[in-house]
Every structure is written in structure tokens, then in C-alpha cells.
Amino acid sequence: VQLQASGGGLVQAGGSLRLSCEASRNTLAINYMGWYRQAPGKQRELVASIRNGGITNYGDFVKGRFTISRDNAKKTVYLQMNSLKPEDTATYYCAADPYQLGRWEIVDYWGEGTQVTVSS
């Protein structure tokens, strides 16, 4: 499965961005889809994940600011990010796996990162 992410960019603090990630094949067979992020010098961390059926999981730092969704008909997962903060600056990676997204080390599929930069 190939994942193509888009939607990153530069935004001021308090602004919004919407990330999209399109898969190369039917996502009904991919139970978990989501987003990780990695800032320079920091460990990769889970931002949000969503299972088929709509069960979601968010990193503690999200605190109601981000919403993940998926449209299997379009083979796409979205991350709506609101109230962005400078500390959200990172490279965001789309990820997909049939079984889990809790451990990035064993996630099966990754997209190329998209840079999100939040200025103060």
C-alpha cells in the first residue's frame, strides 16, 4: 500500500490546517489509519488514529484541537487541525496497518512526511 499525504504548510498560531492521506488501494482492508509526527530531536509520536467503524484515538497533547476522519470510498484519511500551536511544528506522517498503530516501530505502511510549521 502506498500512502500519499498532502496539506501541510506554514500557518500562524491559532490557525488551522487539514491534512489528507490517500491510499493506493481499498482501505476497507486496512483497519487502522492515522497520523504520527516527529519534530527535530524528538521521538515519533502518535497524533491520531481511526479504525474502520470510526473508533478514534488521540495523543494527549491534542486535547480536542484535532479531528481525524476517514472516507473509505475515497481511500483517504483526514486530520483537521485547529488552534495550532508552535509546538505542533513537526513532520507529519500518514500511517496504516491492519492490526495496530500504537507502536510505530512495527507499523506496516508509511507515507512520505508533510511539514507543518506553526509560527508564533
Side-chain angles (χ1 to χ4, degrees):
V1 177
Q2 293 182 332
L3 303 173
Q4 181 66 50
S6 62
L10 173 64
V11 65
Q12 289 187 333
S16 299
L17 284 173
R18 188 193 195 204
L19 305 184
S20 300
C21 174
E22 183 176 359
S24 60
R25 63 174 176 86
N26 189 351
T27 54
L28 282 174
I30 307 172
N31 197 6
Y32 292 84
M33 296 190 74
W35 298 88
Y36 274 82
R37 72 183 188 184
Q38 189 166 20
K42 294 189 176 181
Q43 193 170 10
R44 190 168 295 197
E45 60 183 351
L46 179 67
V47 178
S49 66
I50 183 169
R51 295 173 60 178
N52 274 322
I55 298 173
T56 58
N57 183 42
Y58 293 93
D60 290 341
F61 56 86
V62 170
K63 296 183 179 178
R65 300 181 297 128
F66 299 174
T67 302
I68 190 169
S69 60
R70 64 191 288 170
D71 184 338
N72 286 332
K74 296 182 178 180
K75 303 179 292 182
T76 300
V77 62
Y78 304 96
L79 183 67
Q80 178 66 44
M81 303 186 294
N82 299 327
S83 301
L84 283 161
K85 305 175 182 180
E87 51 264 44
D88 293 316
T89 296
T91 302
Y92 284 68
Y93 296 92
C94 179
D97 192 280
Y99 304 110
Q100 64 86 42
L101 281 183
R103 291 179 57 194
W104 67 267
E105 299 91 337
I106 57 174
V107 168
D108 275 356
Y109 307 111
W110 292 97
E112 293 185 3
T114 185
Q115 180 66 34
V116 172
T117 303
V118 185
S119 63
S120 58

